[in-house]
Amino acid sequence: MWIVPLEDEAVVFNPTSWETHVLNPAASLVLARAQSGECAVADIEQLLCDVLDQGERLRAGEHAERVLRELVSLRLIVERHTG
Amino acid sequence: MRDGIGLDFGAARARIRSDVHELGNVLADIYRSFPLEEPAGFFDVTVRLRRGRGLRRYLRSQIELVFDGETLFAPFPADTHLPMLEWGLNHVLAQRLGFHLLLHAGVVERDGRAVIMPALPGSGKSTLTAALATRGFRLLSDEFGVVRLSDGLFLPLLRPVALKNESIELIATFAPQATIGPRFPKTRKGTVAHMAPDDDSVARRHEPARPALIIFPRYDPGVELEVEPELPSRAFGRLAVNSFDYEMLGPAAFGAVSRLVSSCRVYRLVYRDLDRAVAAVRELLSSCR
């Protein structure tokens, strides 16, 4: 997978699907984190919590779930269930 | 014209054969600065523009364009020979040059820095390209931004600028010294005329240019002049959409477009007055590396 950061966004080329995606800042951040290794939903929630405006922090879990769902649907990350 | 004439556009060479007698004089005018190539040589494409067969040779006579033994498009009226040839060349060159990234864009250059103007048809791209080409910019192309994948430089694919409808008189008034060929009314795109490339652009048609500035132009008679920076991610999408072969090239195209967006300044420019638009492009380019 090729990822090119463009300011706080990113473009991604997925060689499996041959598709290009433009990612918003949150999705770019999450994908970069996922690239560095396996992580839990709670890690992503914390990651977003660190960059969200104060008023949005309470909704970090909701944002994390939505971004993860979108990245999974684009086949840029895979979901693993543990336990 | 039966043996054909050869033309070297820079990034590609074409051999043109035709039994349409009127075409020869028009080509001689519009491609006046191009040296004629020996038609027996190597060419990337060979097209044949021929008069219709049977009754269509005489009754409301038509012409057709043949490439690789196949007829392209439905026949055109015989009096639209040059527009058909130019559109046909666009079509076949887009097929044959798939080893470069091909953007639907006007490209000009000044002081070694290329200005790339990608746009959808009808946006005013050709008008602005023609205007810049008559004000000290070297013309590389009106239709194709040809990106060499090995180094990201833009190669000229130099052909006449196709002007349509109101833009014909606009450029004729803006640049009375420009050579504009005959008007072809009632084509599928309205009235079409072609502006010949200048001598310097033709002489330097093998000289690539380094991309420095990307402008998404739009003609709007209700707007004096608007220049706004474009988001890099949005510019990426617009370049990919304006590419003829992005999907086919895959990762190579992705890399080329990424490098372009990362290395160039990118703006949206809405204009109605050509003098002001040209001045704005000059100013933007002067701030580029």
Side-chain angles (χ1 to χ4, degrees):
Chain A
M1 185 146 52
W2 287 267
I3 305 176
V4 176
L6 294 173
E7 295 184 354
D8 59 354
E9 300 182 302
V11 286
V12 183
F13 181 79
N14 182 344
T16 309
S17 63
W18 211 251
E19 289 174 341
T20 301
H21 306 285
V22 178
L23 302 185
N24 65 24
S28 308
L29 203 61
V30 173
L31 187 63
R33 173 66 185 85
Q35 258 212 318
S36 64
E38 215 169 272
C39 54
V41 176
D43 300 331
I44 299 301
E45 194 176 326
Q46 185 57 52
L47 181 73
L48 293 181
C49 205
D50 293 343
V51 295
L52 285 169
D53 292 338
Q54 185 121 26
E56 280 294 303
R57 283 184 191 159
L58 287 173
R59 296 177 61 208
E62 193 185 316
H63 288 306
E65 277 188 29
R66 198 184 63 244
V67 170
L68 288 168
R69 206 168 42 240
E70 283 173 6
L71 292 176
V72 168
S73 75
L74 296 175
R75 290 176 289 173
L76 296 177
I77 60 174
V78 288
E79 188 178 11
R80 276 189 54 195
H81 296 279
T82 54
Chain B
M1 289 289 289
R2 277 179 189 277
D3 290 337
I5 59 165
L7 289 169
D8 181 341
F9 305 134
R13 292 158 56 88
R15 177 169 38 217
I16 299 160
R17 292 178 167 146
S18 182
D19 61 359
V20 179
H21 304 302
E22 302 84 351
L23 183 64
N25 289 337
V26 178
L27 286 179
D29 191 26
I30 287 304
Y31 284 95
R32 56 172 54 192
S33 303
F34 287 73
L36 284 185
E37 305 290 320
E38 172 56 48
F42 167 80
F43 293 91
D44 298 277
V45 295
T46 297
V47 293
R48 179 187 295 277
L49 190 74
R50 68 182 180 198
R51 297 170 68 194
R53 285 172 284 187
L55 268 181
R56 280 303 188 191
R57 206 171 172 88
Y58 309 102
L59 184 66
R60 288 188 190 148
S61 65
Q62 292 185 328
I63 47 171
E64 54 190 18
L65 193 72
V66 181
F67 172 62
D68 273 356
E70 287 189 25
T71 304
L72 296 179
F73 319 135
F76 276 37
D79 56 5
T80 55
H81 40 75
L82 184 62
M84 185 180 212
L85 175 67
E86 289 295 315
W87 287 328
L89 282 171
N90 289 343
H91 184 82
V92 300
L93 288 169
Q95 287 181 23
R96 277 294 157 85
L97 296 181
F99 48 93
H100 299 302
L101 176 67
L102 299 177
L103 303 172
H104 183 236
V107 185
V108 294
E109 175 265 352
R110 192 180 165 100
D111 300 329
R113 293 169 296 181
V115 183
I116 300 106
M117 294 168 282
L120 296 171
S123 59
K125 161 186 71 69
S126 295
T127 312
L128 184 57
T129 302
L132 290 164
T134 61
R135 289 287 196 278
F137 285 77
R138 171 168 70 107
L139 178 65
L140 275 78
S141 179
D142 162 46
E143 189 69 18
F144 292 101
V146 182
V147 184
R148 188 162 62 191
L149 292 171
S150 58
D151 57 12
L153 296 181
F154 276 75
L155 306 179
L157 190 59
L158 186 63
R159 301 192 14 244
V161 179
L163 300 168
K164 292 168 229 56
N165 302 314
E166 293 83 6
S167 69
I168 300 169
E169 293 316 313
L170 201 61
I171 291 298
T173 307
F174 181 76
Q177 79 280 11
T179 300
I180 299 178
R183 276 64 166 166
F184 295 93
K186 296 180 189 172
T187 75
R188 290 166 195 191
K189 296 187 178 181
T191 302
V192 174
H194 300 81
M195 188 185 93
D198 62 287
D199 293 353
D200 178 59
S201 299
V202 175
R204 296 168 64 194
R205 69 195 184 285
H206 294 110
E207 187 183 314
R210 179 175 59 81
L213 177 63
I214 299 171
I215 287 175
F216 294 100
R218 184 165 62 84
Y219 175 76
D220 184 338
V223 176
E224 187 63 37
L225 183 76
E226 270 180 22
V227 183
E228 295 286 341
E230 180 64 290
L231 280 175
S233 59
R234 193 167 154 74
F236 188 107
R238 294 180 77 174
L239 284 168
V241 164
N242 277 292
S243 165
F244 293 94
D245 52 4
Y246 180 92
E247 200 172 321
M248 189 180 78
L249 292 170
F254 176 82
V257 175
S258 304
R259 281 191 296 276
L260 258 181
V261 172
S262 303
S263 63
C264 293
R265 295 195 177 212
V266 190
Y267 295 89
R268 278 175 279 127
L269 184 145
V270 186
Y271 72 95
R272 73 171 175 209
D273 179 80
L274 283 174
D275 278 308
R276 292 196 62 184
V278 168
V281 174
R282 275 199 188 124
E283 194 179 325
L284 292 172
L285 189 61
S286 69
S287 68
C288 296
R289 279 177 292 145

